[in-house]
Structure formats: structure tokens, C-alpha cells
Amino acid sequence: MSLPPSEDHSREQALLLQAGVMQGVALVTFPAISSVLTSPQGFGLSSSDYGLIFLPQVVAAIAASVLGAQLSRAWGAKRVLLVGLLADAASMAVLLLSALAMQQTSVVLPMLMLATALMGFGFGGVVPVLNTFVANFQPARVDQAILMLNALLGLGTALAPALAAVVVGPGVWWLLPLLVLAAAVALWIGCRRLPLQLSDPGLDCHGEGSEAPRRRGPLLLFLVVAVLYGLVETLNGNWSVILMGQRVGAPTQIASLALTLFWLMVTAGRLIFSRLATLFPPRLLLPGLPVFLAVILFGVSRLTPGAETSGLVLFALAGVGCSAMLPLI
């Protein structure tokens, strides 16, 4: 049964946008507290162990994205959203519980890997459904609605390290995952109470495949570029705090600011490039941004102790370089 086109979805849209902010904060929670995870006074993870905890997140996010369309058709988009929010909440709960086994690597490492896997599943399930809902609820303003959602998602990614800078220093880092846990549970309750019904019940989260013939060469090229982009974004997003703290010697607040600036400029760049599409066409951005990023990454590799300002500038510029790549791909 289709919803009448005149139905007011303002409450649902407001809640979905809040879910976008929460999902952004949740996604960056682990990198935001990386100094705690790798500190001898914290979890005591080695660099290898720290990198390893993100592998389940990647695998789970891909699996959730691939299965999202089938689950949406089988369960309905609302149920997929609710399951994703529960996965976010469970991820934060496992992270909080892992603090009880702090510095017991054989115990805490599997717990952290489970927590990131749940986060990957939550992110891969929630974000496509949010895009589907906001586009469906505003059919006359689809581009603006999706842009707003992704801007708020980006705002959440920038908020996480800013919040971490406040709670990590005093030693109450656990307040950040506790806040995300409470927000995810509140959003789950709110979403469960609202109808959240698509105007076309057969609409899935990924759309239907086009019957037009595809050129495999360009498609494979873009897949390779997408993978390389993911590596670059991950290098900046997951390791900036550790690099600024351990190599540059920056205090926690400055190291967290580097991650905040990175995600803030990712979001700002996407908004700017989308508004100035005539000045920055894809034929210039797609080949130009990787070269720009290569120069920035070289600069990051040359950072020396005490170069806090240079580090902040470089990670902000890295955010600009990453900003338009994924939407264009």
C-alpha cells in the first residue's frame, strides 16, 4: 500500500538526519580514541594490533552493503535500519566491556575486533537506508536531501575527535562510546515508533540494475580507484591521531584536532565542489585530486617532532583532497 504523496514526513526526516550525525560519530569513535587503544597506560595495543582491529569493520561493512538490497526487500527498509542501529549500539557496548580486560591483549583484541565488525555492519546497513528514506520523502528535492544527510554524516565524523579531545585527556574516554550507545538506543526507539514507510514498497536501498550495456574497462578502473581511495582515507582517518601524537609529539587535543580538521574538510570540500561543479568538472577533479593527495601524503611522511602546525595544515588539505573523490567515483 503506497503512502499518499501529501503525507508529512517532517518528524521522520528530522530523526533520520539525527541518525546520520550519530552514525558519523560512531564510525570515527575508534580512531578518535586511538591514543587510548595504543597507550601503555590504556589498552596497550601494538601498531599491528591496532591496524588489525579495523579489518573486520571493512569486511562487515562490505557484506552489509552487498546484502542490503536483499535484506531490504525481504525485511523492509525500516527493519534494516533498526538492525543497523542495534549493531551500532552493540559495538559501543562491546567497546565499553573491553575496558574491563584492558592490557590483556589475548582477551581485548578479539573483543575490539568484534566491536569494529558490529560497527562495520551497522554503518554498511544504516547509511544506504538513510539515503533511500530521505530521497523518498523529498522526491522534489532528492539531490538537496541526500546532500544534507551526507553533510550531517560528515559533521558527525568531525565531532567524534572533537569530543574525544575533551574526554581522553581527563581519562574519561569511555564517555564517548557511552554517548554514542545512548544516542543509538534513543534513535532505535524513535525510529521504531514512527511509520518509516517508503512510498514504493518495492524500492530497495541500492536501486535496480540498468539493462544498458556496460563497458568493463572503465568500470574496473573505477573499482581500482575506489579501493585506492579507501586506503588513502583510512590512512588519514585511522592513523592521524597516532602519527601526530607519537611522531610529531603533539598533545592529545592537538592530535585530535588533526582528525577533526580532516573530516571537517572532507565534508566542506564535498559541499563546495558540488556547488561549483562548473568550475571543477569531473574531468579535472578525478585526475587532479590523486596528484594533490600524493603531494600531501609526501608532506605528511616528512613531518618531524614539533611540527604541529604543519601537521594540522596537511591533514586539513588531505581532507580537501579526499572530499570529492568518493562522490565522483
Side-chain angles (χ1 to χ4, degrees):
M1 178 178 176
S2 298
L3 296 174
S6 60
E7 182 156 347
D8 181 19
H9 294 288
S10 56
R11 288 182 59 201
E12 291 162 293
Q13 290 176 49
L15 197 63
L16 293 171
L17 294 177
Q18 293 173 45
V21 176
M22 184 281 300
Q23 189 63 69
V25 176
L27 180 66
V28 186
T29 292
F30 291 92
I33 62 168
S34 58
S35 59
V36 177
L37 296 175
T38 57
S39 169
Q41 291 74 39
F43 286 79
L45 296 182
S46 66
S47 294
S48 298
D49 289 338
Y50 173 74
L52 182 63
I53 68 173
F54 293 101
L55 180 59
Q57 178 173 308
V58 173
V59 174
I62 293 173
S65 297
V66 170
L67 296 174
Q70 290 84 351
L71 292 176
S72 182
R73 285 192 289 267
W75 296 352
K78 178 180 177 178
R79 185 174 296 180
V80 173
L81 175 61
L82 292 176
V83 171
L85 291 173
L86 281 179
D88 290 336
S91 172
M92 295 296 101
V94 174
L95 174 57
L96 289 168
L97 287 173
S98 68
L100 300 176
M102 193 176 286
Q103 296 187 341
Q104 299 179 38
T105 305
S106 61
V107 177
V108 78
L109 185 58
M111 293 183 72
L112 290 174
M113 293 177 72
L114 173 60
T116 57
L118 289 166
M119 178 53 57
F121 184 82
F123 181 83
V126 167
V127 173
V129 177
L130 290 178
N131 278 282
T132 299
F133 273 123
V134 297
N136 187 255
F137 290 163
Q138 300 187 62
R141 301 176 64 250
V142 171
D143 290 341
Q144 295 92 327
I146 292 179
L147 184 63
M148 174 61 72
L149 172 64
N150 285 274
L152 290 174
L153 181 67
L155 174 63
T157 60
L159 275 176
L163 293 171
V166 175
V167 299
V168 169
V172 289
W173 63 268
W174 46 268
L175 284 176
L176 178 56
L178 183 62
L179 174 65
V180 177
L181 171 60
V185 171
L187 287 165
W188 182 87
I189 294 172
C191 290
R192 190 171 184 274
R193 291 177 175 175
L194 292 176
L196 288 175
Q197 184 178 350
L198 297 171
S199 59
D200 180 2
L203 185 66
D204 63 51
C205 301
H206 299 259
E208 296 297 330
S210 170
E211 296 300 324
R214 295 185 177 91
R215 292 166 18 184
R216 293 182 60 85
L219 176 61
L220 291 175
L221 174 62
F222 276 111
L223 288 175
V224 172
V225 172
V227 171
L228 293 176
Y229 166 80
L231 290 174
V232 172
E233 183 183 285
T234 300
L235 283 172
N236 287 280
N238 289 357
W239 292 91
S240 57
V241 174
I242 292 178
L243 187 145
M244 288 291 290
Q246 296 184 3
R247 180 163 182 168
V248 179
T252 300
Q253 290 78 5
I254 300 299
S256 295
L257 179 59
L259 185 56
T260 296
L261 288 174
F262 171 73
W263 286 115
L264 193 62
M265 294 309 295
V266 167
T267 303
R270 285 174 181 170
L271 292 173
I272 292 170
F273 287 130
S274 67
R275 296 296 183 184
L276 302 177
T278 55
L279 296 177
F280 301 101
R283 67 177 181 275
L284 294 180
L285 286 178
L286 274 176
L289 287 177
V291 176
F292 177 78
L293 279 169
V295 173
I296 298 302
L297 288 174
F298 177 78
V300 170
S301 73
R302 307 301 294 177
L303 285 173
T304 56
E308 297 175 3
T309 302
S310 298
L312 293 176
V313 171
L314 286 170
F315 281 113
L317 291 175
V320 176
C322 287
S323 61
M325 285 295 295
L326 188 58
L328 286 173
I329 294 169

